[in-house]
Amino acid sequence: MRPPRPRTTPALAQATVVVLLAVLGLLGAGAGPAAAADGDVSWTVGTAAGDFGSGRENYRYTLDPGGRLQDGLVIVNHGATPLHLAVYAADAFTAEGGRLDLVAKDATSTKVGAWVHADRPDVTVAPDGSVEVPFTVALPDDAAPGEYMGGIVTAPAGAGEGDGRLGIRIRLRVGGALKPGLSAEDLRVRYSGTPDPFGKGEATVTYTVRNTGNAILAARQAVSLSGPFGRFGVRAGQIGDSPQLLPGDTWKVSVPVRGVTPALRLTGTVALTPLLTDAANSVAPLAVVQTTAGAWTIPWTLLLLVLIVVCGLTAAALAIRRRRRTRPARTGSAAALGPVDQQDSAG
């Protein structure tokens, strides 16, 4: 064990907690930044200084299948009583709202949480003291290439998940071919219509973004609608990028599109641009992926108006026809009486 790190003042400690929580975003339920601001969390966690440098905000590794490495976690107790904490690793997932979170301690981890092993399952930190906990990253020989996310977590020993935990992110790249990929699935277009027979309505485009590759990606999104032969095209307003999605993760999206012409048949198009972030935090946009789906947009108000007009014209035509049938045939009567008049004149 390395000697304790220099003591930190309480004010600096509280500021450090807030910054770490905002940056890492890896807290369990009930342990958000507000808890740190209220002074409910009496400890902080940080990366140990060593071969990977010092002052790191999180852990980033590149390791081939079957490889091993060692690193360390530093825990500082800012309270006035001894602190007994559990230390464990866990897989990450994209939580509702787009925040990266870690699975609970009793959940089964199959990736980072299974490959990272702390040297001890728990630790006691003296008041106003610090302890470094070494851990090992050991990959199995059959680890699949790609990017993985997890974390190493500290939580009060014997406490439930809602009692607070602090963790540091571990982003791991397993050597091999990186194959980033996104898809838009279950694409649907719903047209809301408009009471104005000659007006434009609103549509809603829903779909699910799925990370189909082996790299951690965000998605830049664009949605458009068009009628037959590409006419009456309209684009949705600006859509925010999706959160970072781990391989296999999904993100549901619902986009309103206004000013849609009810052109009987609409085609909705979703264009996704995968955004790949490298180790230097540089974002590289990849090739755009497009998905389309169709929907009927029948202008019922206009059709009803046309039906009323047609029915009116038909009724008028039938009325005129009846009048012609019941009108006396005056020309025919005069012709029939002609010869009689001539005989009377001859007599």
Side-chain angles (χ1 to χ4, degrees), residues 8-254:
T8 309
T9 63
L12 179 59
Q14 293 296 330
T16 304
V17 173
V18 174
V19 172
L20 280 173
L21 299 186
V23 171
L24 299 177
L26 289 174
L27 298 178
D38 295 337
D40 294 338
V41 178
S42 61
W43 79 96
T44 57
V45 292
T47 58
D51 296 339
F52 296 98
S54 60
R56 295 170 291 164
E57 293 180 349
N58 48 57
Y59 302 102
R60 282 179 176 266
Y61 308 118
T62 298
L63 201 59
D64 290 331
R68 296 173 62 91
L69 61 84
Q70 287 191 322
D71 209 333
L73 173 75
V74 176
I75 306 171
V76 181
N77 180 8
H78 303 286
T81 58
L83 185 63
H84 189 205
L85 298 173
V87 183
Y88 61 95
D91 287 347
F93 67 97
T94 304
E96 187 174 352
R99 182 172 62 92
L100 286 176
D101 205 346
L102 298 176
V103 300
K105 182 181 179 182
D106 56 356
T108 301
S109 292
T110 60
K111 298 172 184 177
V112 171
W115 302 337
V116 175
H117 308 276
D119 279 13
R120 65 188 80 170
D122 54 65
V123 63
T124 299
V125 188
D128 206 18
S130 66
V131 172
E132 180 175 322
V133 180
F135 62 84
T136 301
V137 182
L139 299 189
D141 294 335
D142 60 350
E147 293 186 315
Y148 299 86
M149 188 76 77
I152 187 161
V153 185
T154 61
E161 287 296 321
D163 293 330
R165 58 179 185 165
L166 294 179
I168 298 183
R169 184 184 337 182
I170 299 174
R171 183 163 181 163
L172 175 63
R173 165 76 186 278
V174 177
L178 196 64
K179 300 177 180 179
L182 291 176
S183 67
E185 302 177 353
D186 197 22
L187 174 58
R188 298 184 182 182
V189 180
R190 295 182 178 87
Y191 180 67
S192 303
T194 172
D196 183 353
F198 302 102
K200 297 180 179 181
E202 180 174 320
T204 302
V205 179
T206 59
Y207 55 95
T208 299
V209 180
R210 180 181 296 276
N211 186 340
T212 58
N214 63 356
I216 300 173
L217 297 172
R220 184 154 294 158
Q221 308 166 83
V223 173
S224 61
L225 295 173
S226 62
F229 309 107
R231 297 176 59 84
F232 312 112
V234 59
R235 292 182 176 273
Q238 185 175 2
I239 310 169
D241 296 345
S242 77
Q244 293 278 330
L245 299 177
L246 306 180
D249 275 2
T250 60
W251 180 251
K252 293 185 177 181
V253 184
S254 179

